[in-house]
Amino acid sequence: MRKYFINLMIMVLFFAPAFAQEHVYQLNGWIRNGIKEGTAYVRYFYRDAANEDHMVRDSGTIKDGRFYLKGRLPGKPVIGKISLRDITQPEPAEENISEVYLEPAMIKLEATNNLLSPAFSGSASQREFSQLYASLKEVRAVLKRIDDEYGKAQEEKDLKKLDALTEELKTIYEKRQGVIGKFIKKHPSSFISAYKFGEFLGDEEIEVKTAQSVYDILSPDLKKLPVMQEMLNRISIARKTEPGNKAIDFTQADTSGNKISLSSFRGKYVLIDFWSSWCVPCRAENPALRAMYAKYKSKGFEIIGVSLDGGRKPWVRAIVADSLPWTQVSDLKVFGNEVAKMYGITAIPRNLLIDREGKIVSKNLRGLALERELKKYFKD
Amino acid sequence: MFGFLSATQAQILNPVSFNYSVVKKGTDLYELHIKASIQPKWHLYSVNNPDGGAQPTVIKINDGKVVGKINEVGKMKTVFESVFNVNQKYFENSVDFVQTVKLNSGAKKITGTVEYMVCNDRQCLPPKEVEFKIKM
């Protein structure tokens, strides 16, 4: 027994360095007709066993368009970003930033002109990642264009354009979900599938049935990853707040300290609006909310503003400045707001429309979409 | 076993990453660089963003004494937000927060926190606090 134990010790000692070596990635890159001289960076995040987030950055010199990077990985493959900075520029240009799948392998990266369409090889998973990344190219381009146009439309207060962009965004999210979903179905035990699951869910609305069905496909090992637990939580919160469900009742204080309950609005259509005084995009929605409130209040439409403010003063100041006549509640805990937590709110503005029986009918109605929805329930 | 934060999630919910470094300026005197990389279209607010607007970035140093004010190296945008009636000050793409720190004699590390929030044109994310620890 003792001998066996010693053997085991020797084996452990012997294999320890080899094991460490397994968690090193190497990357050989070549960019044609692009940056000749400069620096290549690899950057990724990971969360350690103590739940602390770390950022790691490795770099290497670009010479004649060729570069080499090497770095230790935190025990598992990760998806990071690779960026190439021209020697004459202070920062890498946007088109010279790409995702990269870092694993213990000799990764080969080839690109032409920039990193918009990189080709990765060197292992089966590199080729898989490369294909997935390529099939999301159009999605990335459209998202970037929507981003650009959205800011401009908001500045110009072009409601029609904002509405069109929001609809387009939904379509492109669906497309992204389709592409990633297909990949996950084909590669249910690949780390890439686990890493891409967050992007698959997206950061706005989660369609629970689709999300759960794709989650179910993932291998048991991947499901054990801490990040998947987070994803599962997001799905379960989305399930609770999905249209068709009864809205979870809550009670919170208004600006004068009176306790207000959602259930006290039963019999009316209620929009629960998550916002904050410091959130410009939220404040930008207020004129539309005001118009809808004026138009439909007498027909049985109410709004409850749930503010994620941290202080009473800015909260009240914003209500006055934007002339918001509807009920406002908050516990002044910012994103720790109990109602926001209950409804899984991770960004604002967000809203939910509740019908007369207290059932959720739709979510995240912005600008003209709110009017379209209300028209269904209230005849003019 | 290491857990990990998915990069995709980082991409979706974590548009800012920080890189820390120090430059020795004298006996126990260091220049601390907190360099933020910001994903396209997101706004990271200046430490001097005025009251009434978005929450300014706050950098706290636990060890030693700060010398002078934070210098923000980057292209600051000042935009009048009519909804706040204030001039918001923020950075896009990147900014380097530079703070000179006088450490206790012989100290070998600087620790502290960065508290920040970000918005883009469509939404705002919760304020976040990250800790840092830099060994000399």
Side-chain angles (χ1 to χ4, degrees):
Chain A
M1 187 66 195
R2 166 168 286 221
K3 195 175 166 201
Y4 174 74
F5 183 68
I6 289 168
N7 276 343
L8 198 69
M9 284 298 292
I10 289 168
M11 266 171 66
V12 167
L13 287 173
F14 184 77
F15 281 109
F19 185 69
Q21 201 59 34
E22 272 177 24
H23 298 295
V24 172
Y25 75 86
Q26 295 185 74
L27 189 148
N28 255 319
W30 180 30
I31 180 160
R32 276 177 294 255
N33 300 324
I35 294 175
K36 290 272 173 290
E37 314 295 320
T39 311
Y41 303 94
V42 154
R43 199 174 70 207
Y44 64 86
F45 293 91
Y46 74 93
R47 183 172 290 180
D48 67 17
N51 239 5
E52 271 183 58
D53 292 339
H54 300 269
M55 192 193 77
V56 179
R57 199 168 81 147
D58 302 318
S59 61
T61 309
I62 307 171
K63 228 177 142 104
D64 290 331
R66 289 177 190 273
F67 46 96
Y68 171 78
L69 289 132
K70 184 182 175 178
R72 269 191 66 96
L73 294 168
K76 288 226 177 336
V78 291
I79 289 182
K81 287 266 169 82
I82 180 158
S83 54
L84 308 179
R85 181 178 64 83
D86 192 281
I87 196 159
T88 60
Q89 302 296 319
E91 296 292 328
E94 226 176 286
E95 70 267 20
N96 280 320
I97 303 174
S98 157
E99 282 183 18
V100 61
Y101 180 61
L102 301 168
E103 58 176 344
M106 175 63 86
I107 303 162
K108 207 168 139 194
L109 160 58
E110 282 181 87
T112 307
N113 303 327
N114 49 45
L115 285 188
L116 290 178
S117 307
F120 297 97
S121 57
S123 75
S125 38
Q126 286 302 324
R127 284 189 297 276
E128 286 161 19
F129 181 76
S130 208
Q131 275 168 17
L132 176 62
Y133 197 66
S135 47
L136 289 168
K137 187 182 175 184
E138 193 209 328
V139 170
R140 286 193 299 275
V142 173
L143 285 176
K144 185 180 162 355
R145 179 177 52 75
I146 293 177
D147 257 359
D148 288 340
E149 293 181 2
Y150 198 94
K152 203 167 148 262
Q154 203 166 55
E155 247 165 60
E156 291 163 359
K157 298 198 165 58
D158 185 344
L159 292 182
K160 278 206 176 123
K161 181 82 189 171
L162 286 172
D163 192 49
L165 289 171
T166 305
E167 290 302 309
E168 202 185 351
L169 204 54
K170 274 188 201 155
T171 314
I172 202 73
Y173 283 155
E174 272 166 30
K175 179 153 192 196
R176 178 170 74 178
Q177 213 172 51
V179 171
I180 302 174
K182 211 168 122 192
F183 180 89
I184 296 176
K185 279 175 200 158
K186 220 169 139 188
H187 308 282
S189 41
S190 164
F191 273 113
I192 300 169
S193 294
Y195 285 123
K196 283 286 174 188
F197 194 75
E199 194 177 334
F200 167 81
L201 291 183
D203 62 348
E204 299 207 7
E205 273 168 86
I206 295 178
E207 217 264 286
V208 176
K209 240 196 219 150
T210 319
Q212 186 68 48
S213 71
V214 172
Y215 176 86
D216 289 343
I217 292 168
L218 291 168
S219 75
D221 276 351
L222 292 179
K223 282 180 185 151
K224 279 184 209 141
L225 298 170
V227 71
M228 293 314 296
Q229 194 53 51
E230 253 174 79
M231 298 296 148
L232 201 56
N233 288 345
R234 288 185 60 199
I235 298 173
S236 76
I237 287 173
R239 182 175 287 114
K240 280 191 237 160
T241 60
E242 213 184 15
N245 284 317
K246 274 251 182 283
I248 313 161
D249 194 22
F250 60 81
T251 303
Q252 210 157 63
D254 69 8
T255 50
S256 328
N258 305 312
K259 300 269 188 236
I260 309 286
S261 294
L262 174 65
S263 49
S264 66
F265 290 86
R266 200 58 54 83
K268 289 179 172 177
Y269 276 88
V270 184
L271 186 80
I272 309 176
D273 177 41
F274 294 94
W275 74 294
S276 174
S277 72
W278 43 255
C279 166
V280 177
C282 304
R283 305 275 300 263
E285 294 290 326
N286 281 340
L289 290 183
R290 238 178 9 237
M292 288 305 98
Y293 190 73
K295 192 167 174 189
Y296 292 116
K297 183 184 162 39
S298 61
K299 294 179 174 165
F301 175 57
E302 265 304 329
I303 302 177
I304 304 182
V306 179
S307 162
L308 278 63
D309 268 280
R312 171 168 302 276
K313 239 197 210 158
W315 176 36
V316 173
R317 199 163 51 198
I319 294 169
V320 173
D322 292 1
S323 324
L324 309 179
W326 53 85
T327 306
Q328 296 287 347
V329 299
S330 181
D331 58 10
L332 304 176
K333 287 189 194 165
V334 196
F335 273 85
N337 184 297
E338 295 302 329
V339 182
K341 272 164 55 184
M342 221 182 268
Y343 280 85
I345 303 299
T346 53
I348 47 173
R350 291 289 186 270
N351 64 39
L352 298 99
L353 184 66
I354 317 290
D355 73 5
R356 294 195 171 98
E357 283 77 49
K359 214 171 68 193
I360 300 167
V361 286
S362 46
K363 282 163 90 170
N364 300 331
L365 300 160
R366 297 179 72 161
L368 297 177
L370 176 63
E371 183 163 14
R372 253 197 320 267
E373 186 72 12
L374 292 177
K375 267 191 184 152
K376 288 197 225 163
Y377 308 112
F378 302 110
K379 304 278 169 286
D380 283 331
Chain B
M1 190 179 88
F2 278 104
F4 56 84
L5 176 70
S6 136
T8 59
Q9 212 202 347
Q11 180 191 317
I12 289 170
L13 300 170
N14 205 6
V16 185
S17 59
F18 296 97
N19 193 45
Y20 312 95
S21 60
V22 281
V23 180
K24 194 167 165 73
K25 287 285 166 184
T27 314
D28 299 317
L29 196 66
Y30 293 91
E31 200 174 76
L32 168 64
H33 291 257
I34 300 176
K35 191 168 180 191
S37 304
I38 310 156
Q39 287 193 9
K41 300 291 166 192
W42 288 93
H43 302 160
L44 176 66
Y45 298 92
S46 162
V47 295
N48 301 313
N49 199 41
D51 194 30
Q55 192 174 306
T57 301
V58 178
I59 294 171
K60 283 184 192 148
I61 312 282
N62 299 334
D63 307 291
K65 221 168 56 198
V66 298
V67 181
K69 283 186 181 158
I70 292 173
N71 184 19
E72 296 174 316
V73 184
K75 232 165 78 188
M76 187 166 76
K77 279 204 170 173
T78 304
V79 175
F80 180 74
E81 299 282 11
S82 51
V83 294
F84 295 155
N85 228 5
V86 299
N87 282 309
Q88 289 235 96
K89 295 172 177 178
Y90 60 81
F91 297 91
E92 292 177 316
N93 305 313
S94 74
V95 56
D96 190 8
F97 298 104
V98 184
Q99 172 74 67
T100 305
V101 181
K102 175 94 180 164
L103 290 186
N104 297 330
S105 175
K108 287 279 180 283
K109 62 170 174 52
I110 305 180
T111 62
T113 55
V114 186
E115 198 190 333
Y116 66 96
M117 61 168 280
V118 286
C119 297
N120 64 14
D121 291 323
R122 279 182 60 76
Q123 56 186 346
C124 291
L125 300 186
K128 219 180 147 175
E129 191 181 80
V130 291
E131 287 178 23
F132 60 84
K133 181 174 178 179
I134 308 155
K135 288 180 186 142
M136 261 38 109

